[in-house]
């Protein structure tokens, strides 16, 4: 397929690289980042989007997505697909879909789970929103960049699934970390805590697969001085998107709200920026009640 790829950062570059290696004809553009080998460099976003079957965007946020979409939609062929893999607010995903639809361009919003490792290894999970036709057209690209793609519904459904998943992830990580810190103070050995919880009703992905305690469970960022992994500020971004969405549809999300406040405090006031989101554990270790 002829593919345009806009946003070649930590995630976009390895995704574009995998598509080129699989034999797709990929043209890339980024304001700053270089093009991976095998990806032709365009001078601007419009040039990257012209004449392509699919244009993929992997950008920092919804405002940037909207401005790039504004620029490229008029240049895209009718019947082409704009596939946004960034994590953005549901409203921006839907606004871009509407704008594209009016121009005869199809869209899929397909944020990913799996991080930089998943992007390099081609093992991302895609959560997709858009029409059956658009999803079918981009599905072969999902096969190259990922191991699984779930078609969640119409435009915005991919972003909705992503922020709900990550709200659970943020809340669960905090619960796991505060339980470890409590266990410490109760004199419970961390390995024993893991052995019990990972096989009991408190088990979760954060405990079993990504344990925040160093030296316990499978290797995780905790074993590497809490270098990310999944950075605390990215968790904060996703939690804020969940609260923005909850506000828009009048959903009561008290745990998501608390998790957002806690990650904001951690990232903005307590030096958590640049650390893995599991570094909530050493944060709790140092603290006292009240
Ligand atoms: P990044 O900051 O490394 O990459 C974004 C790239 O977009 C940068 O290279 C930047 O120069 C480029 N860019 C910004 N504005 C542009 C414009 N107008 N035109 C062209 N290029 C532009 O970020 P990332 O880690 O690659 O994340 C990308 C998206 O994926 C984000 O929405 C993020 O939330 C999401 N995501 C990231 C991870 C992760 O672990 N990094 C995991 C899942 C989802």
């Amino acid at each position: 397929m002829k593919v345009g790829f806009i946003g070649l950062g930590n995630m976009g570059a390895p995704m574009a690289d995998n598509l080129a290696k699989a034999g797709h004809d990929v043209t890339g553009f980024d304001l700053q980042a270089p093009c991976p080998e095998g990806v032709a460099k365009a001078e601007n976003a419009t040039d990257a989007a012209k004449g392509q079957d699919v244009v993929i965007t992997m950008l920092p946020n919804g405002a940037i997505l909207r401005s790039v979409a504004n620029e490229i939609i008029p240049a895209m062929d009718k019947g082409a697909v704009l596939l946004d893999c960034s994590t953005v607010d549901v409203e921006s995903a839907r606004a871009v879909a509407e704008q594209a639809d009016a121009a005869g361009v199809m869209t899929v919003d397909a944020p990913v789970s799996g991080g930089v490792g998943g992007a390099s290894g081609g093992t991302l999970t895609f959560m997709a929103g858009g029409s059956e036709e658009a999803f079918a057209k981009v599905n072969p690209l999902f096969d190259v960049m990922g191991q699984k793609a779930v078609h969640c519904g119409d435009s915005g459904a991919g972003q909705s699934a992503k922020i709900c998943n990550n709200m659970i992830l943020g809340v669960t990580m905090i619960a796991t970390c505060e339980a470890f810190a409590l266990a410490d103070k109760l004199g419970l050995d961390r390995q024993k805590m893991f052995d019990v919880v990972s096989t009991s009703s408190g088990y979760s992905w954060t405990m079993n697969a990504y344990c925040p305690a160093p030296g316990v469970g499978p290797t995780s960022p905790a074993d590497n001085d809490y270098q990310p992994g999944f950075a605390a500020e990215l968790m904060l971004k996703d939690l804020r998107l969940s609260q923005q969405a909850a506000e828009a549809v009048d959903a009561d999300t008290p745990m998501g709200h608390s998790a957002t406040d806690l990650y904001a405090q951690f990232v903005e006031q307590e030096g958590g920026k640049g650390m893995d989101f599991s570094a909530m554990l050493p944060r709790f270790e140092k603290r006292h009640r009240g």
Side-chain angles (χ1 to χ4, degrees):
M1 262 193 249
K2 279 175 67 62
V3 179
F5 207 115
I6 301 170
L8 299 163
N10 292 322
M11 296 291 290
M15 290 163 74
D17 190 35
N18 282 334
L19 289 173
K21 283 188 177 136
H24 293 288
D25 177 3
V26 187
T27 303
F29 174 71
D30 192 294
L31 284 180
Q32 288 170 353
C35 268
E37 237 185 73
V39 174
K41 187 179 180 322
E43 282 310 309
N44 51 53
T46 308
D47 284 351
K50 259 187 213 148
Q52 310 289 6
D53 301 310
V54 177
V55 179
I56 303 177
T57 45
M58 196 53 174
L59 296 162
N61 59 49
I64 294 175
L65 169 67
R66 284 183 197 234
S67 93
V68 169
N70 244 336
E71 193 183 332
I72 64 174
I73 287 171
M76 287 177 66
D77 287 352
K78 288 202 190 320
V81 182
L82 171 53
L83 168 59
D84 177 45
C85 296
S86 333
T87 304
V88 304
D89 55 292
V90 179
E91 227 172 292
S92 291
R94 291 192 174 139
V96 166
E98 235 170 79
Q99 187 183 354
D101 190 46
V105 168
M106 296 192 280
T107 52
V108 175
D109 55 288
V112 303
S113 166
V116 177
S120 312
T123 57
L124 294 168
T125 296
F126 291 87
M127 302 147 234
S131 68
E132 287 291 348
E133 188 189 354
F135 180 79
K137 189 158 175 185
V138 298
N139 212 11
L141 303 181
F142 290 148
D143 282 345
V144 174
M145 298 185 288
Q147 59 181 357
K148 190 176 167 123
V150 181
H151 189 192
C152 301
D154 293 339
S155 298
Q159 297 298 347
S160 302
K162 166 87 186 178
I163 57 174
C164 289
N165 179 72
N166 280 22
M167 189 172 82
I168 295 173
L169 178 63
V171 167
T172 317
M173 179 55 84
I174 290 169
T176 304
C177 292
E178 68 182 33
F180 262 120
L182 170 62
D184 286 348
K185 293 200 175 179
L186 294 171
L188 186 61
D189 178 70
R190 284 185 169 181
Q191 184 62 50
K192 301 293 177 201
M193 166 84 173
F194 176 83
D195 292 347
V196 171
V197 175
S198 64
T199 54
S200 300
S201 45
Y203 85 89
S204 65
W205 185 84
T206 56
M207 176 60 86
N208 292 38
Y210 203 93
C211 184
V216 177
T219 305
S220 70
D223 300 305
N224 187 26
D225 253 344
Y226 296 98
Q227 295 308 302
F230 186 44
E233 60 269 27
L234 289 179
M235 181 81 251
L236 176 60
K237 172 193 169 179
D238 293 356
L239 283 167
R240 282 186 166 145
L241 290 176
S242 77
Q243 295 314 290
Q244 190 181 336
E247 188 75 34
V249 296
D250 191 24
D252 189 18
T253 55
M255 303 300 285
H257 190 270
S258 294
T260 309
D261 285 351
L262 215 49
Y263 272 104
Q265 195 178 324
F266 183 51
V267 168
E268 290 164 0
Q269 295 163 34
E270 298 170 349
K273 188 160 190 277
M275 302 190 77
D276 189 73
F277 83 121
S278 61
M280 270 288 163
L281 176 52
R283 173 195 183 272
F284 278 117
E285 266 170 40
K286 291 187 224 114
R287 295 176 63 89
H288 299 276
R289 196 167 181 79

